Amino acid sequence: MILAIPERMHAVLLTGHGGPNKLEYHTDVKVPRPAKGEVLVRVAAAAVNNTDINTRIGWYSKKVSSDTQAGSAGGFAEVDNEDASWSGVPLRFPLIQGADCCGYIVAVGEGVSPTRVGQRVLIRNMLRAPVDHQNYQCWTYGSDCNGSFAQYTVAPDADTWSVSSDWSDIELASIPCSYSTAELMMQRAGVNANDVVLITGASGGVGSAAVQLAKCRGARVIAITSNSKRSQILELGADDVIDRNDNLLERLEKNSVTVVIDLVGGTAWPPLLDVLKIGGRYATSGAIAGPLVELDLRTLYLKDLTFYGCTWQDDNVFQTLINYIETDRIRPLVSKHYSLSDIALAQEDFLSKKHVGKLVLVPPRETHHEDS
């Protein structure tokens, strides 16, 4: 089923690994059409995530050992294009990035109920349908396939979730990537009301989501961020805030927390294991301060610690988020929104780390046929 859909749209094309100059705003990109089992979504809002920048600069390549900031201006000279993606499979350029999407279904492909047209939806960022819902396999929306930095996007019907909420499109768009990542970490680490949870990078999208989701479980939350963001993180529900420049072992006793939710990595990593109790759990899904850390294996095994690497998501992760939204158990903090054409500025602001929560891009509502 196809309604009156324009032939061309505005979109941001990533043309290769490198600096912001690799992001090209075009006004004549062909609007995709939904294939069998797919839906066509008019994008209402799309949030900015660290993975967008990491993908652009080639940070996922194992040849890169620096933090994200080091390559933000021009990428990394040492990138191996063969493994600079989530899956380790070379990216296909040009690519429309964007892991977060709130939008409206405007057409459906063969085998999809036409009653879906008009639904407001969120697209699951870890697509399960293309790999037949196999464990530890998924496609990454906006990386393994085109994403939401455009006026229109296609996605599998099974990965496109309708949502009933009075939230704005901008608020909903901030949910899929950050909150599903945080929820996955909560589930993997088994966070519960008996836990004391330490969260690094707590002012970012995933970190601020983790604060809320840990509090939903009744845990005590200690957040690490800058002092300038202390009040906002406390308002999100954190019980205490530690400045990221403080000596962690001077602020917390050894063996004093049960779970570490780590999004930062880098040189400040070793004390995270010192503050974990015997039998503690450590979960990570990011390393913005650097991917290489110094691990004393004696600490790992003598303290009976459990480590969780968190990427692949089972179906119940996104279902849980939809339930949280529709029952108002969480509420995202959106710092600012931008026009899609201002994506380079939005990423620059994202990298400055002066904000708390999410930055969101809004594509133009109408398509204008122009030369790009």
Side-chain angles (χ1 to χ4, degrees), residues 140-304:
T140 308
Y141 179 66
S143 180
D144 292 316
C145 62
N146 285 337
S148 59
F149 290 164
Q151 288 179 300
Y152 293 90
T153 186
V154 292
D157 173 53
D159 291 305
T160 306
W161 295 63
S162 63
V163 57
S164 177
S165 171
D166 62 0
W167 294 12
S168 69
D169 295 334
I170 289 172
E171 288 177 307
L172 284 173
S174 71
I175 290 293
C177 184
S178 291
Y179 278 77
S180 68
T181 300
E183 176 63 21
L184 171 64
M185 297 172 83
M186 297 295 121
Q187 293 189 17
R188 288 275 180 89
V191 174
N192 60 68
N194 297 317
D195 282 318
V196 177
V197 181
L198 178 66
I199 300 172
T200 67
S203 62
V206 180
S208 60
V211 170
Q212 294 179 67
L213 293 171
K215 293 307 293 183
C216 282
R217 290 162 164 80
R220 174 174 170 77
V221 173
I222 303 170
I224 299 178
T225 187
S226 61
N227 271 335
S228 63
K229 302 170 183 175
R230 177 182 177 85
S231 61
Q232 290 170 287
I233 301 304
L234 290 173
E235 288 175 8
L236 285 178
D239 297 285
D240 195 8
V241 175
I242 295 175
D243 186 82
R244 64 186 181 189
N245 295 315
D246 285 355
N247 184 318
L248 188 61
L249 292 175
E250 291 179 358
R251 292 296 307 275
L252 293 177
E253 295 181 1
K254 288 186 176 181
N255 306 318
S256 60
V257 306
T258 56
V259 177
V260 168
I261 301 295
D262 184 26
L263 310 162
V264 176
T267 58
W269 188 83
L272 296 177
L273 304 193
D274 292 327
V275 300
L276 270 173
K277 291 184 176 180
I278 292 175
R281 294 101 74 197
Y282 168 90
T284 182
S285 68
I288 190 171
L292 303 183
V293 298
E294 184 177 279
L295 168 63
D296 187 332
L297 288 172
R298 292 165 295 189
T299 303
L300 173 60
Y301 74 79
L302 290 175
K303 293 184 71 172
D304 286 293

Side-chain angles (χ1 to χ4, degrees), residues 351-366:
L351 287 162
S352 74
K353 300 302 177 186
K354 295 178 181 179
H355 65 286
V356 176
K358 298 288 289 190
L359 303 179
V360 179
L361 297 167
V362 179
R365 181 65 184 270
E366 301 297 330

Side-chain angles (χ1 to χ4, degrees), residues 84-110:
S85 67
W86 280 56
S87 63
V89 176
L91 295 181
R92 298 174 64 183
F93 300 112
L95 171 70
I96 298 174
Q97 292 185 280
D100 284 330
C101 179
C102 172
Y104 297 81
I105 295 178
V106 294
V108 298
E110 180 185 347

